[in-house]
Amino acid sequence: MTALTLSTSSAAALRADAVVVGVTKGAKGPKVAPGAEAVDKAFDGKLAAVLETLGASGADGEVTKLPAPAGLKSAVVVAVGLGDTPEDGTGFDAEALRRAAGVAARALGGAKKAAFALPAADPADLEAVATGALLGAYAFTTYQADNGKGTLGEVAVTGAKPRDKAHKAAAARAVAVGAEVNRARDLINTPPNDLNPKAFAAAVQAAGKEHGLKVEVLDEKALAKGGYGGILGVGQGSATPPRLVRVAYTHAKATRTLAFVGKGITYDSGGISLKPPGHNETMKCDMSGAAAVFAAVVATAKLGLEVNVTGWLALAENMPGGGATRPGDVLKMYSGTTVEVLNTDAEGRLVLADALARASEEAPDAIVDVATLTGAMVLALGEGRFGIMSNDDGFRTRIHTAALAAGEDSWPMPLPKELRKTFDSPTADIANMGVRPGGGLIAGLFLKEFVGEGITWAHLDIAGPAFHEGAPFGYTPKGGTGTAVRTLLSLAHQAADGDLL
């Protein structure tokens, strides 16, 4: 992983392969952003003019490389656009800093060290720059021959205060976020022939030993004994049996407990309700919710937050083997509820239902589930944001606010009571499908059926942003994005501070 250091040196004095500076979009052309004063001085105060001559405008995501002049210890200057110049008295938007740093880090792939002279005078800006750089430097190359490029080796943020408590804490948060979002990305990008439920559970067990987490794994025998009909029903068509993993971080002084529940379908063929070509090629990403939950628990442990967090990973492979669940079958869930399966491609809600019911037994202060659950949510909100549903409007609002502050776009969605009757079943207690319109909301209503009485709960449908098929942008790579890790970690921070519930 890319290393992070805080340097008291000026951008001109720090020896590195490149120095990154910010450029804003001013009314009369590009303007050099704070943090780059020493670099601008090396250009005799004409850096903005040089950049304008080269066609730079300061637009968001723009990158301009130019040779460094005498007076700099770096060979290359990388100017990255920050967007519009902030109004007087206002600072830079944290997401603009994250994205700019991410673009620069990706542009410097293969370099050993880069000095980041972006606006980072206060801890919040420092954290944004460091987080964006560490996320932007990510690359998944496990299955590729060595192309000689690699990732950026070290991010050195200039003008920082390495001994300052607030700066050190900001850097620690950035490192934890960077490592754990990238852990989730690695898991999402791993091919399903290598990441099946058993392998995923083993990865959690290994991390548990490293970070002092308590890990429990229920295999197919334990699931059958415990009556986990949803997880078993989804996984029974695969040669690789399912798992339910409980991974817990506890703090001796914690007074609040959160439960995070993640959908972990390591490959989703749709089962007997088989997906058509064009809809199954990226279905290794259907475990993105479980990856986010796992990574968030580890990040909470790394930061030693004063909160108890339990992650539940419902892991299965949805395949159309001879033993697969059929449309029309009835499953008895862990809660005792019977569910008529009308569509085996609506499997995520079945594994989550068992995990939600089991998590409820421990009576946490709140449960948040995360899942790539419905295509309907993608149609409603697009690919760039996730939907938030909850049985508590205030809790939904707090999650929305936390997600936006963390840089994860989201939108609050309703749970209309009138849609509940659409998944009534003449055969079982309920069916796993309702009417087609409002499918994402119906999935949320289905999950709500399995949340314990009186427990605050929210559902994050991350089907849109979990896997990015387009070109990289900002700090977002092609492939798995690690969506929801930062939101969950923010909730853990708020719970530890007593501000969430």
Side-chain angles (χ1 to χ4, degrees):
M1 177 183 167
T2 302
L4 173 68
T5 57
L6 305 184
S7 176
T8 58
S9 299
S10 73
L14 186 62
R15 192 175 300 277
D17 296 306
V19 58
V20 178
V21 299
V23 184
T24 64
K25 195 173 182 179
K28 297 182 179 180
K31 298 178 65 176
V32 178
E37 292 83 0
V39 177
D40 190 30
K41 184 178 179 181
F43 280 88
D44 295 327
K46 299 178 181 179
L47 176 56
V50 172
L51 290 170
E52 187 172 21
T53 299
L54 293 173
S57 66
D60 181 30
E62 180 182 78
V63 175
T64 306
K65 293 183 179 180
L66 59 161
L72 297 184
K73 294 291 181 67
S74 300
V76 176
V77 173
V78 177
V80 60
L82 287 164
D84 292 337
T85 303
E87 296 180 7
D88 291 340
T90 63
F92 284 86
D93 176 69
E95 182 65 0
L97 293 175
R98 281 189 289 260
R99 291 190 177 191
V103 168
R106 187 170 57 254
L108 289 167
K112 291 182 179 180
K113 181 177 181 179
F116 279 68
L118 295 171
D122 64 70
D125 288 349
L126 166 62
E127 183 175 350
V129 169
T131 300
L134 294 175
L135 294 178
Y138 174 82
F140 185 71
T141 59
T142 303
Y143 295 85
Q144 297 176 344
D146 183 11
N147 58 15
K149 188 173 183 181
T151 58
L152 175 60
E154 180 183 347
V155 170
V157 181
T158 63
K161 302 172 184 177
R163 296 183 180 181
D164 180 82
K165 185 177 180 180
H167 278 225
K168 288 170 66 175
R173 288 191 296 269
V175 169
V177 167
E180 295 313 313
V181 170
N182 289 339
R183 181 198 296 272
R185 290 170 170 178
D186 280 347
L187 288 166
I188 297 163
N189 289 326
T190 299
N193 58 320
D194 280 347
L195 190 75
N196 55 38
K198 183 178 179 180
F200 199 148
V204 179
Q205 289 173 316
K209 289 181 180 179
E210 182 181 356
H211 300 290
L213 306 173
K214 184 177 181 181
V215 179
E216 301 173 45
V217 178
L218 298 186
D219 62 12
E220 65 273 27
K221 293 180 180 179
L223 290 170
K225 184 178 180 180
Y228 293 87
I231 297 174
L232 285 169
V234 171
Q236 67 189 39
S238 172
T240 304
R243 298 286 188 268
L244 176 62
V245 179
R246 179 184 186 273
V247 53
Y249 161 75
T250 57
H251 191 287
K253 296 181 180 180
T255 59
R256 293 289 187 181
T257 298
L258 300 179
F260 297 151
V261 177
K263 173 188 172 183
I265 304 300
T266 58
Y267 181 75
D268 182 18
S269 71
I272 297 296
S273 306
L274 195 66
K275 293 179 184 291
H279 292 77
N280 54 19
E281 291 81 359
T282 61
M283 281 297 102
K284 66 181 181 180
C285 79
D286 213 18
M287 37 60 67
S288 296
V293 165
F294 171 34
V297 174
V298 177
T300 302
K302 284 183 173 181
L303 294 172
L305 301 184
E306 202 169 300
V307 61
N308 298 327
V309 178
T310 303
W312 298 88
L313 317 184
L315 309 177
E317 191 175 58
N318 188 23
M319 297 293 283
T325 293
R326 299 157 287 250
D329 282 355
V330 172
L331 304 177
K332 186 175 183 180
M333 314 299 282
Y334 179 78
S335 66
T337 300
T338 57
V339 177
E340 182 181 10
V341 179
L342 299 179
N343 187 329
T344 64
D345 196 22
E347 84 298 329
R349 66 198 69 183
L350 298 175
V351 300
L352 285 174
D354 276 354
L356 285 167
R358 176 63 185 88
S360 295
E361 290 182 341
E362 298 187 357
D365 294 292
I367 298 176
V368 180
D369 76 68
V370 187
T372 47
L373 205 61
T374 66
M377 194 58 61
V378 184
L379 292 175
L381 298 179
E383 296 181 342
R385 62 205 49 81
F386 58 80
I388 308 170
M389 285 154 268
S390 178
N391 60 4
D392 182 316
D393 288 349
F395 189 55
R396 183 185 63 186
T397 298
R398 287 190 289 276
I399 293 176
H400 182 219
T401 301
L404 294 180
E408 297 190 319
D409 200 359
S410 61
W411 196 253
M413 300 293 282
L415 290 172
K417 292 180 180 179
E418 65 272 17
L419 292 178
R420 164 60 189 85
K421 62 184 178 182
T422 69
F423 56 91
D424 282 343
S425 166
T427 306
D429 293 326
I430 55 175
N432 77 327
M433 291 288 289
V435 294
R436 192 172 184 84
L441 311 183
I442 290 171
L445 285 165
F446 180 93
L447 296 179
K448 183 173 178 284
E449 295 283 314
F450 299 89
V451 179
E453 188 71 27
I455 297 176
T456 301
W457 157 82
H459 161 58
L460 313 185
D461 189 337
I462 63 169
F467 196 85
H468 179 57
E469 296 187 66
F473 68 93
Y475 52 80
T476 301
K478 185 180 180 68
T481 62
T483 290
V485 175
R486 288 179 286 161
T487 297
L488 295 179
L489 184 58
S490 178
L491 298 181
H493 269 290
Q494 291 183 40
D497 294 339
D499 297 330
L500 183 62
L501 298 163

